[in-house]
Amino acid sequence: MTNPGALPSIPTDLLAWYDRHARSLPWRVGPKERARGIRPDPYRVWLSEIMLQQTTVAAVKPYFDTFTALWPDVTALAASPRDDVMKAWAGLGYYSRARNLHACAGIVARDHNGRFPATVAGLKALPGIGDYTAAAIAAIAHDEPAPVVDGNIERVIARLFAIETPMPQGKKDIRARQADLTPRQRAGDYAQAMMDLGAAICTPRQPACVLCPLAGACIARARGEQERFPVKTPKADRPTRLGAAFVAVRGDGAVLLRQRPDRGLLGGMSEPPGTDWTGEQLVAPVDSAPFAVGWQAMPAPVVHVFTHFRLELAVYRATGIDDAAPANHWWSPPDALPGEALPSVMKKAIESAIPGATKTKRSRKDAA
């Protein structure tokens, strides 16, 4: 096919490519299995799509395996304590996803008899499921011809049609094109084929156009401008915030922790006590420490980059403390600390003060 912008043959050519080259993923029912009548499990589709939001496939795979081993269906997940879900999620980031995941499981188990709705509208009524995720679940699990648009698909469509509208405003044009392309048959396979094409062939840099089944239909390639699309609005500078974390160590090696409020960044996760994060230099940060003891400043701050800001966290350590935990805090013993619901930035803070403290015995041995 050599007809830039041609619509009719794009789904056909893409599905033929997908039938030969589909990625093997732990949550996916591949085209050969689908042809034999094996249907995707909506629970596994939902779980994978929530995990994959703002996260790579490589990062998600071990978490998906852990979750499905612990909670093989939505009823089991709903029955689990939320703290256990947050602990299993620790390190995957964007922690509101984990809170919504548990809330959604509860609603599906209680109000839908353990069955996910099959329509986009029904899915969007559930916590943590927006336009993209609802379309993806409906298409992949139920073959609803819903237009699915993730980051990979945005790139493919923007190049196919050389969409000049900068992102994020260009999303509307891209979604409209995807709606025109989505076939009424095999909509789920088509959506996953688009995802695979963007991940393996139509990559952000140096796309492998000679291997692309849609190369002849791609307007950007015809112009030799593949890497210019999607057109992006220049990013604003990411501001820096400053804060302090206090790693208090009891005589038996236990570390003082508390739980962050449910609302806000890293909501519901565990952390060593610390200050608020501000845009100004901290004055006398140890005045905010949980104990009036001799705090030792670690040599360098912990740096962590969030989506909208960069955080520099000064870390202070105090050892040999035998005081009771303050209200709403607890002492986490050394063998329990690796299993706490600590986000990555808080693991960094504790590791800065106590190297190896957040790692399991096995991972410590592997690193030796």
Side-chain angles (χ1 to χ4, degrees), residues 244-260 269-275 286 288-293 295 315-338 340-343 346-347 349-351 353-354 357-358:
F246 303 101
V247 181
V249 186
R250 202 166 59 180
D252 62 357
V255 173
L256 187 70
L257 298 178
R258 66 183 182 186
Q259 187 177 55
R260 292 178 65 87
M269 302 300 288
S270 303
E271 66 173 2
T275 66
V286 293
S288 301
F291 304 109
V293 296
W295 290 92
V315 179
Y316 296 83
R317 179 182 65 194
T319 58
I321 298 173
D322 289 313
D323 296 35
N328 301 317
H329 292 60
W330 69 93
W331 290 104
S332 181
D335 59 347
L337 190 63
E340 296 282 5
L342 292 162
M346 297 308 170
K347 287 183 178 180
I350 294 173
E351 288 290 326
I354 320 169
T358 67

Side-chain angles (χ1 to χ4, degrees), residues 152-173:
N152 282 322
I153 294 173
E154 283 181 353
R155 186 167 59 255
V156 173
I157 299 294
R159 288 172 175 172
L160 275 172
F161 299 100
I163 294 173
E164 296 285 354
T165 308
M167 303 296 284
Q169 292 81 5
K171 289 176 181 287
K172 183 177 180 180
D173 293 344

Side-chain angles (χ1 to χ4, degrees), residues 178-261:
Q178 177 71 327
D180 290 340
L181 287 171
T182 301
R184 300 201 64 81
Q185 303 294 325
R186 297 189 67 188
D189 281 350
Y190 168 79
Q192 292 175 105
M194 271 282 184
M195 295 174 188
D196 283 11
L197 189 72
I201 303 294
C202 196
T203 51
R205 298 285 178 267
Q206 298 181 332
C209 296
V210 295
L211 301 178
C212 180
L214 307 182
C218 183
I219 297 174
R221 181 174 186 265
R223 296 179 183 174
E225 297 180 331
Q226 300 93 310
E227 293 192 29
R228 189 166 72 82
F229 296 95
V231 179
K232 296 181 180 179
T233 302
K235 289 185 179 180
D237 291 338
R238 187 181 276 124
T240 294
R241 296 185 189 176
L242 305 173
F246 303 101
V247 181
V249 186
R250 202 166 59 180
D252 62 357
V255 173
L256 187 70
L257 298 178
R258 66 183 182 186
Q259 187 177 55
R260 292 178 65 87

Side-chain angles (χ1 to χ4, degrees), residues 93-109:
Y94 297 92
Y95 295 98
S96 62
R97 294 182 297 167
R99 298 194 302 275
N100 285 329
L101 187 86
H102 190 257
C104 181
I107 292 172
V108 172

